[in-house]
Amino acid sequence: MLTIHADSRGRALAVEGAWIAEAGPLEDVAAARPGARLRRWPGILTPGLVNPYGDELLEGAYHPDPREADELGTEPLTGRALAALAPDEARWGASARRGLQRMLSHGTVAVACGELRIRAVRDAVHRSGLAVVGRIGRPGGVPSLDPYACGAPVTFAPPRERGSAARFAVFDVPDEDALAERGAAACVATVVAGRLVYRRR
């Protein structure tokens, strides 16, 4: 189904399958695609964020299952705690899936990785639909699910336009300055490959 996603500034993207069919002011997009379903979001439409710490967050951290919270807590395990846990392949895969979902909840649509060593993690990244950006070496800053909390420059995916992949995020803020102040936890929706993969409840 053709769906138009519109933000509070009157900007809109028409999504058909996995692609952007139209992009621009809501009036123009709606006129070009009559009959499309309209979904209005609070805040601003953005191309979505690129998280530069794929290796560190997916293979250098274990994201506990909520059922493990009493034993392991709720925050990612790293360093000695991770070494003591010594996850097997299956556990790494489940951790990566949870970590990727947490990235999506922060408006991430692409992740930068070196050479992921764990097959279950590679599979989880592939199945998530997130774009993968290559990188050389370790980026500066502190690895975080919120790129605004890393202490490094924040990178957005390329602008969405007609014919580009339907991959974007919506943040409940009035503008980009407010987003930088509030951080990526302001995300209300993330779309990957035309699918709404995260929506804040």
Side-chain angles (χ1 to χ4, degrees), residues 14-74:
V15 174
E16 188 167 19
W19 306 97
I20 301 295
E22 299 287 345
L26 175 57
E27 290 184 1
D28 295 347
V29 172
R33 299 288 173 163
R37 181 178 66 170
L38 176 61
R39 189 187 292 271
R40 294 182 181 270
W41 297 104
I44 61 173
L45 278 167
T46 75
L49 296 165
V50 179
N51 192 305
Y53 302 103
D55 301 62
E56 292 77 16
L57 293 173
L58 300 176
E59 291 193 339
Y62 177 81
H63 300 269
D65 187 292
R67 294 169 294 183
E68 301 173 311
D70 290 343
E71 177 188 359
L72 302 178
T74 58

Side-chain angles (χ1 to χ4, degrees), residues 7 11 26 33 40 57 77 129-130 161 167-168 180 185 194:
D7 68 10
R11 298 175 181 175
L26 175 57
R33 299 288 173 163
R40 294 182 181 270
L57 293 173
L77 303 181
L130 287 174
E161 56 190 19
R167 187 180 287 123
F168 55 90

Side-chain angles (χ1 to χ4, degrees), residues 2-193:
L2 183 65
T3 301
I4 296 174
H5 297 263
D7 68 10
S8 59
R9 298 191 292 191
R11 298 175 181 175
L13 297 171
V15 174
E16 188 167 19
W19 306 97
I20 301 295
E22 299 287 345
L26 175 57
E27 290 184 1
D28 295 347
V29 172
R33 299 288 173 163
R37 181 178 66 170
L38 176 61
R39 189 187 292 271
R40 294 182 181 270
W41 297 104
I44 61 173
L45 278 167
T46 75
L49 296 165
V50 179
N51 192 305
Y53 302 103
D55 301 62
E56 292 77 16
L57 293 173
L58 300 176
E59 291 193 339
Y62 177 81
H63 300 269
D65 187 292
R67 294 169 294 183
E68 301 173 311
D70 290 343
E71 177 188 359
L72 302 178
T74 58
E75 294 302 308
L77 303 181
T78 60
R80 292 182 179 179
L82 176 60
L85 185 64
D88 59 16
E89 185 90 5
R91 216 168 181 185
W92 270 122
S95 168
R97 289 190 292 274
R98 291 187 291 270
L100 290 162
Q101 187 59 41
R102 295 182 74 182
M103 287 185 185
L104 292 168
S105 74
H106 286 79
T108 293
V109 299
V111 59
C113 301
E115 185 176 350
L116 295 175
R117 298 168 287 105
I118 303 170
R119 180 175 180 177
V121 173
R122 294 197 303 270
D123 289 346
V125 172
H126 175 73
R127 290 170 182 165
S128 73
L130 287 174
V132 177
V133 180
R135 73 177 211 193
I136 299 175
R138 186 187 185 282
V142 179
S144 174
L145 293 163
D146 181 352
Y148 284 98
C150 296
V154 173
T155 302
F156 281 89
R160 300 297 85 188
E161 56 190 19
R162 184 176 183 179
S164 62
R167 187 180 287 123
F168 55 90
V170 188
F171 297 90
D172 189 7
V173 292
D175 53 38
E176 285 77 8
D177 289 341
L179 175 56
E181 182 177 342
R182 285 191 55 191
C187 179
V188 292
T190 304
V191 172
V192 170

